[in-house]
């Protein structure tokens, strides 16, 4: 196989502005809503305000806000946030959406009884230093004894490498045109990164238009993540292996961690 060297992503927030027009269309065919009930029930039990890290186009934020949870979403991509705003407006639902980076959260200390990190958002932090900054930032804005829910995407390091494979196709894509996703997957075991090079081709013939971008995710194991959470001042409440509450084991497809801010260690 001829290997076509791809670009090395410098940061995990890169690529999402270009991804934004296609994100909902792709996710309706992949992750769907499988985790939404879990987050909605948790938010219903704990109460708000709830902070969602990397809220994107509102796949999780919208149903939570609809369930009358007071929801604050933060994301670095203005294009992803614009999608979330459109969806909220269409649903006549309110949530506070903030543009910012999860490594330095722009909120007052001890604001949130619940912070959630769905769909592998912490794996968008490509270095230990960025992860430590994000965890310290969450520890600061979550209330003493408040909860931090983390969902890690388990299968990124197991993703088989391939090049230029058509992985999705539709007669009517997100902009009403025929669309195909041509994808390459690269593994960088040294940096523990999985890189998706995506090319969305819309239209046909001379009117064909391609949008290219790369997104990278870091492998984080459950044991490594729990250690880092403990170091940041959290105690582990539960490790779950599915969205119905089954306990986690290393073969589980879902890696969910519920961590509680240690009330005795709160620093301001
Ligand atoms: C996998 S999407 C998840 C979106 C949404 N939570 C969902 O479940 O569909 C990851 C999101 O995290 C955002 N993101 C990545 N790195 C970030 C960072 N350092 N600070 C804030 N947002 C970030 C991206 O812009 C993107 O919208």
């Amino acid at each position: 196989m001829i290997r076509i060297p791809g670009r090395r992503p410098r940061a995990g927030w890169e690529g999402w502005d270009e991804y934004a027009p296609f994100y909902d269309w792709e996710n309706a065919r992949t992750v769907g809503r499988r985790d939404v009930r879990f987050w909605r029930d948790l938010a219903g039990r704990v109460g708000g305000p709830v902070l969602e890290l990397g809220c994107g186009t509102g796949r999780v934020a919208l149903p939570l806000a609809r369930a009358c949870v007071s929801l604050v979403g933060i994301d670095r991509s203005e294009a992803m946030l614009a999608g979330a705003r459109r969806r909220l407006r269409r649903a006549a639902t309110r949530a506070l959406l903030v543009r910012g980076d999860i490594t330095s959260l722009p909120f007052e200390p001890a604001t949130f009884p619940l912070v959630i990190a769905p769909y592998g958002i912490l794996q968008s932090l490509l270095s230990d230093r960025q992860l430590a900054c994000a965890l310290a930032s969450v520890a600061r804005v979550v209330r003493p004894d408040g909860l931090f829910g983390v969902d890690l995407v388990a299968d990124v390091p197991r993703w088989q490498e391939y090049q230029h494979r058509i992985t999705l196709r539709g007669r009517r894509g997100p902009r009403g045109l025929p669309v195909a996703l041509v994808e390459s997957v690269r593994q960088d075991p040294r940096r523990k990164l999985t890189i998706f090079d995506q090319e969305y081709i819309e239209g046909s013939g001379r009117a064909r238009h391609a949008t290219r971008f790369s997104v990278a995710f870091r492998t984080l194991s459950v044991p490594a993540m729990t250690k880092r959470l403990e170091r940041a001042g959290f105690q582990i409440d539960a490790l779950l292996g599915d969205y119905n509450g089954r306990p986690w084991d290393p073969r589980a497809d879902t890696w969910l961690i519920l961590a509680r801010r240690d009330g005795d260690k709160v620093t301001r």
Side-chain angles (χ1 to χ4, degrees):
M1 187 202 294
I2 303 165
R3 288 188 67 94
I4 300 165
R7 207 174 62 80
R8 284 176 63 138
R10 286 183 303 273
W13 51 261
E14 288 179 316
W16 293 97
D17 281 348
E18 294 78 9
Y19 203 159
F22 306 100
Y23 184 82
D24 294 340
W25 183 85
E26 183 179 324
N27 273 287
R29 285 151 188 81
T30 54
V31 67
R33 290 167 57 88
R34 64 176 169 228
D35 53 345
V36 168
R37 193 171 52 120
F38 174 83
W39 294 118
R40 196 172 43 209
D41 290 352
L42 184 65
R45 279 203 305 280
V46 177
V50 176
L51 173 63
E52 185 190 353
L53 306 182
C55 62
T57 57
R59 190 184 62 85
V60 174
L62 176 66
L64 262 59
R66 258 192 174 145
C68 297
V69 173
S70 159
L71 194 281
V72 180
I74 184 164
D75 203 286
R76 181 151 175 160
S77 162
E78 185 50 48
M80 293 291 277
L81 285 174
R85 286 197 195 97
R86 266 196 306 275
R87 284 171 111 179
L88 284 164
R89 220 175 14 249
R90 256 188 258 132
T93 304
R94 293 169 87 91
L96 177 63
L97 301 180
V98 177
R99 182 160 187 230
D101 198 294
I102 63 167
T103 56
S104 71
L105 294 166
F107 306 107
E108 291 297 314
T111 302
F112 301 97
L114 175 63
V115 179
I116 64 173
Y119 201 18
I121 167 65
L122 295 185
Q123 288 160 283
S124 286
L125 302 167
L126 304 188
S127 71
D128 271 341
R129 198 177 59 80
Q130 285 170 350
L131 179 60
C133 288
L135 297 185
S137 210
V138 173
R140 189 180 66 81
V141 301
V142 75
R143 287 192 193 150
D145 296 319
L147 264 187
F148 183 25
V150 176
D151 191 2
L152 299 175
V153 176
D155 57 0
V156 275
R158 297 197 291 256
W159 220 288
Q160 182 203 344
E161 287 190 297
Y162 50 79
Q163 295 207 345
H164 301 303
R165 189 177 285 179
I166 297 178
T167 53
L168 283 176
R169 205 193 265 283
R171 250 187 269 186
R172 265 179 73 85
R175 297 193 257 227
L177 298 167
V179 68
L181 169 59
V182 183
E183 189 175 66
S184 304
V185 176
R186 294 178 280 145
Q187 295 289 355
D188 180 342
R190 195 181 60 79
R191 291 175 74 203
K192 291 203 169 96
L193 298 185
T194 306
I195 300 140
F196 294 82
D197 298 316
Q198 300 202 311
E199 180 175 24
Y200 269 96
I201 299 171
E202 296 176 280
S204 52
R206 293 179 67 168
R208 251 162 76 110
H209 179 261
T211 306
R212 294 186 192 89
F213 56 89
S214 299
V215 282
F217 302 95
R218 187 175 182 223
T219 299
L220 284 171
S221 71
V222 170
M225 191 65 206
T226 55
K227 261 195 219 122
R228 288 186 169 95
L229 283 162
E230 284 165 353
R231 225 178 285 148
F234 292 90
Q235 290 173 358
I236 306 305
D237 257 20
L239 299 180
L240 304 176
D242 70 18
Y243 297 110
N244 296 315
R246 185 169 68 86
W248 178 81
D249 72 64
R251 283 161 308 161
D253 290 332
T254 300
W255 293 1
L256 270 172
I257 305 173
L258 293 182
R260 192 168 293 281
R261 178 73 172 113
D262 195 335
D264 298 334
K265 291 192 191 156
V266 175
T267 49
R268 295 277 183 270

